[in-house]
Amino acid sequence: ILIDACVTRLDIENKSAKSVVFEHSGREFLVAADHVVLGANALFNPVILAQSGLTHPLLGRRLNEQRGLLFEVHLAKLDALDGGSAATGLYLGGINPPDRAQRGSFTYTIDNRWRVFGLRPEAEKAKRVFPLIMMVEEDPQIENHVDLSRSTRERPRILHPVFSNYGRAGVATGRSQLESYLSPLGLEWISEPQEWATGGHMEGTTVMGNDPTDSIVDADQIHHEVRNLSIVGSSVFPTCGNYTPSLTVAALSLRAARRLTAKS
């Protein structure tokens, strides 16, 4: 592991990755490899590929993540904030609705971080409040993308002008059902939500698929054109789910490693 190094491109020759080019302490170096694995997240993976001369209509496109809404929930008689866990409950009742083809699925997380909104001013009700996070599945839109004209040394420029009707419908369903789900707790009121600009779950931009015309990597996460190049991380997700993608990233990466070693 070499810290403070910046990978700038891959040397591609005759549809084969020959080496990884990086900068360190003001000098350029290369490392030769029989097989290259690129795992620089959904913002930098497409930039490095573009800097390496690899092009595709979908490269950098379909940048995607869950929509996140943050509510403040006040309870009448039940203390909510306690214990050491950041989240004290996860509601999965909206994870696979019968009309999922028409509207995004959703989850609720009961949060345990009082610093998000603060304790209530009434002494007897100080802990009868909690943040609630609703995460909603979005449909990837081709307009949302990473600007590939920038170099790997520059801060990525993100263009995300479009939310889908699919996601909007999921948000509407999740909001409409929230009060009924919380009412058994002795609900006083729920604030209007704050929508996150981002949850930090960047997905898409080097999507996985069977058809090279509409995907960057195959089912084993190997580049369709450069067959000794694997891409791992959430950039290969063709769609986003309705929750944090960390476990799926780990599972897919382990699967890609098993497939690769089995072939060799």
Side-chain angles (χ1 to χ4, degrees), residues 210-223:
N210 293 324
D211 187 348
T213 64
D214 60 13
S215 60
I216 310 297
V217 299
D218 65 16
D220 292 333
Q221 296 172 243
I222 297 176
H223 194 278

Side-chain angles (χ1 to χ4, degrees), residues 68-74 81 109-122 126-134 178 189-196:
L69 283 79
L70 178 65
F71 298 84
E72 182 182 22
V73 179
H74 285 224
L81 297 168
T109 301
I110 295 176
D111 211 300
N112 195 31
R113 288 172 284 187
W114 63 267
R115 292 179 182 84
V116 175
F117 290 109
L119 300 175
R120 294 175 66 174
E122 312 96 321
K127 294 169 66 176
R128 295 173 190 172
V129 58
F130 63 89
L132 183 138
I133 300 166
M134 182 172 77
L178 182 56
W189 66 276
I190 307 172
S191 70
E192 283 297 304
Q194 303 173 16
E195 181 150 9
W196 295 344

Side-chain angles (χ1 to χ4, degrees), residues 131-222:
L132 183 138
I133 300 166
M134 182 172 77
M135 295 177 70
V136 182
E137 180 183 19
E138 256 288 315
D139 191 28
Q141 305 295 298
I142 195 167
E143 296 91 339
N144 301 331
H145 66 283
V146 180
D147 182 357
L148 299 182
S149 67
R150 297 197 167 195
S151 75
T152 48
R153 278 294 187 187
E154 296 179 279
R155 183 172 181 171
R157 181 167 176 252
I158 308 305
L159 296 101
H160 195 290
V162 179
F163 283 114
S164 69
N165 291 330
Y166 181 78
R168 290 191 190 95
V171 168
T173 300
R175 290 190 64 177
S176 68
Q177 296 179 4
L178 182 56
E179 186 171 341
S180 64
Y181 287 140
L182 294 176
S183 59
L185 300 178
L187 183 64
E188 281 193 356
W189 66 276
I190 307 172
S191 70
E192 283 297 304
Q194 303 173 16
E195 181 150 9
W196 295 344
T198 175
H201 303 149
M202 298 83 70
E203 303 166 24
T205 72
T206 64
V207 297
M208 178 193 301
N210 293 324
D211 187 348
T213 64
D214 60 13
S215 60
I216 310 297
V217 299
D218 65 16
D220 292 333
Q221 296 172 243
I222 297 176

Side-chain angles (χ1 to χ4, degrees), residues 7 15 54 59 62 81 85 118 139 198 222 234 244 259 264:
V7 172
K15 297 186 177 181
L54 297 173
L59 184 63
R62 295 168 63 92
L81 297 168
S85 174
D139 191 28
T198 175
I222 297 176
S234 57
T244 305
R259 295 292 187 95
S264 59

Side-chain angles (χ1 to χ4, degrees), residues 77-88:
K77 298 181 180 180
L78 182 67
D79 286 351
L81 297 168
D82 203 2
S85 174
T88 56

